[in-house]
Structures are given as structure tokens and as C-alpha cells.
Amino acid sequence: MRNSFYKYILIGICLIFSGKSFSQSPQAIQDIGLFLEDATYFSEKYITPATDVAVYQASSSWMTSPKKRKLFDVTLSLHSNLFFVPKRDRSFEIKNADFSFFTIENNTSATVATALGNDNQYYLVGQIDGNQVRIETPKGVNQETIYYPYLQGSISLWKGFEVIAKYSTKVKLKRGDYQVYGFGLKHNLSQYFKTLEAKKIHLAGLVAYSKEEISFGFLDTNTSYGNLGINKLTGEVNTWQFQLSASKEWKKFELMTSIITNQSDFKYYLSGPKGEIEKTIPVQYVLNEKLKDIYKSKFNALGEIAGRYQISKFYIQTSIAFGKFVNSNLSVQYEF
């Protein structure tokens, strides 16, 4: 694996820079290749828990109610999402044996923060052509709960269909940013079973798409060759969600349960100021190409319980989604 990646670096450099002057030594090229591979390894361990969490945050409260609404009824709502960060996803173990370029300063192993973790930091050290590279491991958000608000709206159409959209501005976390937006299509199913409607029991299905983006400060790495351009690590998650919901009404109160499944595609990229090294070796480009090795897809199944209470044309709704993680949501809705 490491040898093949080193060859990949050399071939890429030869193709890109053939015919140009090349001042870096073979040792520097090899060192940078090993640095890039270690950075890829660390990137995956650091950000994966946060992107897994993003799926749960984006899955909640798509459907305010499964019941069929009148044609062109509009609902607008303000949501407050609260995610509880589990302790198991706040840190991970590293050992010197995990790295080809770095060693842990004054240690052979360490417990370091994921993007969801705390402020604990260690130094990683290595050398590029005899010049020391010394960096701090990145900090996590250091929050036991992650909160963000977003807006959601829907309009009912013909035949029991309803179009839904959600959007949040870029929300600042303690040490990162989070944003989600998407759209969905709901279809009422209980309209085909008059006995259910008579008992105020409602059924509906939903298909939805959401895009989540979560970014964190990463490795601010300055060397004698300049900055390596990996100051920021971003995860993008594209999710398709399928949901089946059922509810029961008692006067002004409605209780809803849902079964949710989703398929998510995860991508990652690094960004930041580029140093002089980019004139010789496209470090940021090569590393982002290497990060494609850790792109992945995941299937999730989760449940959700929600309660909704009517106050005139306003509704108050709270929901809990549960599975690998627990996510809560509180919303205020207005129906036109």
C-alpha cells in the first residue's frame, strides 16, 4: 500500500512537472509522499464520527404529520436541533506504528480528539529532507451537545402529495461549521383506507434528499517549504432518505412514529493557504486525490417518535430519533 502510493506520487510529479526545473531532492519527495499518506490516515479517523453524526442530524423531523392536507396548504416552521455527542466517538487511539512519517512526541501512543472531541492535543513530528515538521493534533468541537437551527417549509399538492424543503445557514460550532439543506416528497397513504381516516389514524411515505457539509480546522502545517495547504478539513454527505410514518390524533394532540432508512455517500477534501511547495509539488491536489480512497457509502436505519400540539394555527412539535445515535428536535410551525 505504502510503496504503491509512493510510486503514485512519483508518477504524478513526473507527469505534471516533466520538462520543468525540479529542485527537490529524492528524499524530500519520498518524505512528502509518506507525510501525505499519514495525513490521509489521520483525516479519516478524525472526521468520520462527525460525518456519521451529520446523517442523523439531517434525518430528523422531515415529516411534521402524515395526514393529508387540503390542496395548497402551506406550513412554515422553525426547528431547533439538538444532538447528544456520545463519549465513544470523541477520541481515538494512535500509535507510532500507525505512521510512516510521523512519530508522537515523547510518547509511543496517545488518545487524541476526533472532530467531536475535546481540547487534548499532542505533537506529531517528522522530517522532510532533514527539516523538522512539528504539528499539533487538531482539536474537537469540545461540546457534549451540538445545536443548530434551520427553517423548513411545505406545500400540499394534488392526490395527497406534499413538497418539503429545509435549509440552514452555515452554523458556527466552537471549532467548525455545519450546514444542511434538502427537499422531500411526501405521499399520504391512509386516504386509501377510509376506516383509518375515520379513526383519525394517518399513514404516509416520504422520500427526501439532503446535503450536509461539516468543516473543521485541521493541520496548520508550516515547513521550510511553506504551508502545506491542509488547514481545513471538510466532509460532504449526500443522503437519500426513505421514511414510513403513522400517527394518531386525539383532539389537538397528535402522536407520530416513523421508521427511517437512508443511504449516504461521504466525500472529504482539504483546503487552506498554499505555500511555495505548490510550485514544485501539488501537495493539496495530490492529498485530495488520495482522500478519494476513503470515500464511502453507508446505510442507516433508525426510528423516530414525535408529539405535536395545536394552538390555533400554530403547532409545537418535539421529536426524538434513535439508533446508533440520539437526536432531538423542537419546532414551532404555522399553517396557512
Side-chain angles (χ1 to χ4, degrees):
M1 177 70 177
R2 297 185 185 276
N3 290 335
S4 64
F5 181 63
Y6 175 47
K7 290 176 183 177
Y8 172 81
I9 292 288
L10 289 177
I11 292 169
I13 290 170
C14 290
L15 289 173
I16 296 171
F17 296 101
S18 57
K20 295 185 179 182
S21 61
F22 189 75
S23 60
Q24 307 297 342
S25 71
Q27 183 61 49
I29 298 171
Q30 182 176 8
D31 291 341
I32 290 170
L34 296 177
F35 166 83
L36 293 173
E37 188 164 352
D38 282 358
T40 303
Y41 166 80
F42 197 95
S43 299
E44 181 178 19
K45 295 291 186 180
Y46 176 76
I47 200 170
T48 293
T51 50
D52 286 348
V53 162
V55 173
Y56 270 69
Q57 290 179 310
S59 298
S60 295
S61 293
W62 269 100
M63 196 184 301
T64 56
S65 171
K67 67 183 178 181
K68 183 180 178 181
R69 294 195 171 99
K70 295 178 182 178
L71 184 62
F72 300 136
D73 275 1
V74 174
T75 301
L76 294 179
S77 54
L78 174 63
H79 290 252
S80 299
N81 198 82
L82 187 65
F83 179 82
F84 301 94
V85 180
K87 290 184 178 180
R88 67 176 182 273
D89 293 294
R90 298 180 194 175
S91 63
F92 65 100
E93 297 288 331
I94 56 172
K95 304 184 293 293
N96 285 336
D98 296 326
F99 300 113
S100 295
F101 177 83
F102 287 117
T103 58
I104 307 164
E105 189 173 71
N106 301 322
N107 289 278
T108 58
S109 63
T111 301
V112 295
T114 69
L116 299 175
N118 56 27
D119 292 338
N120 293 343
Q121 290 184 290
Y122 289 83
Y123 280 98
L124 302 177
V125 294
Q127 290 191 340
I128 297 179
D129 199 20
N131 297 299
Q132 187 184 69
V133 177
R134 184 173 182 263
I135 62 173
E136 283 185 310
T137 57
K139 298 177 181 179
V141 295
N142 197 26
Q143 297 175 227
E144 293 186 359
T145 56
I146 296 176
Y147 161 82
Y148 74 94
Y150 65 91
L151 295 172
Q152 185 165 303
S154 66
I155 181 169
S156 59
L157 302 176
W158 300 269
K159 307 292 185 179
F161 284 97
E162 188 174 334
V163 175
I164 306 166
K166 67 163 61 177
Y167 175 78
S168 78
T169 58
K170 188 168 284 188
V171 177
K172 287 286 184 183
L173 307 175
K174 282 187 177 180
R175 293 186 182 87
D177 303 296
Y178 177 76
Q179 185 174 29
V180 61
Y181 54 89
F183 59 88
L185 182 65
K186 181 191 106 177
H187 183 60
N188 175 267
L189 301 174
S190 52
Q191 63 182 310
Y192 305 114
F193 305 95
K194 298 303 180 183
T195 54
L196 293 179
E197 289 195 324
K199 298 177 181 179
K200 293 192 174 182
I201 296 174
H202 310 284
L203 299 174
L206 170 80
V207 59
Y209 166 80
S210 63
K211 184 179 183 69
E212 305 96 62
E213 184 173 293
I214 187 165
S215 301
F216 300 94
F218 195 50
L219 302 176
D220 188 5
T221 310
N222 287 290
T223 72
S224 57
Y225 300 101
N227 197 291
L228 298 184
I230 55 174
N231 304 62
K232 186 177 181 180
L233 177 59
T234 300
E236 289 185 353
V237 188
N238 292 279
T239 299
W240 282 99
Q241 176 165 317
F242 303 92
Q243 179 172 335
L244 183 63
S245 299
S247 74
K248 167 67 177 173
E249 285 187 277
W250 293 275
K251 295 183 179 180
K252 295 184 177 182
F253 179 73
E254 183 178 8
L255 180 66
M256 179 176 67
T257 61
S258 301
I259 297 173
I260 298 169
T261 61
N262 52 45
Q263 181 72 29
S264 300
D265 295 320
F266 299 80
K267 297 181 179 181
Y268 311 95
Y269 64 89
L270 288 154
S271 58
K274 298 178 181 180
E276 289 296 313
I277 196 169
E278 290 285 334
K279 295 179 180 179
T280 306
I281 301 175
V283 172
Q284 189 181 94
Y285 169 80
V286 174
L287 185 49
N288 279 327
E289 286 296 301
K290 184 60 181 171
L291 283 178
K292 290 181 180 179
D293 291 348
I294 65 172
Y295 286 8
K296 58 182 177 290
S297 296
K298 283 188 178 180
F299 174 84
N300 281 293
L302 55 150
E304 184 177 58
I305 298 176
R308 188 170 186 247
Y309 187 78
Q310 182 180 4
I311 306 172
S312 185
K313 289 190 175 183
F314 286 93
Y315 293 82
I316 305 294
Q317 185 172 46
T318 183
S319 69
I320 297 287
F322 51 90
K324 180 181 178 182
F325 304 108
V326 176
N327 187 80
S328 66
N329 192 284
L330 177 66
S331 64
V332 179
Q333 305 156 12
Y334 183 81
E335 289 193 355
F336 293 88

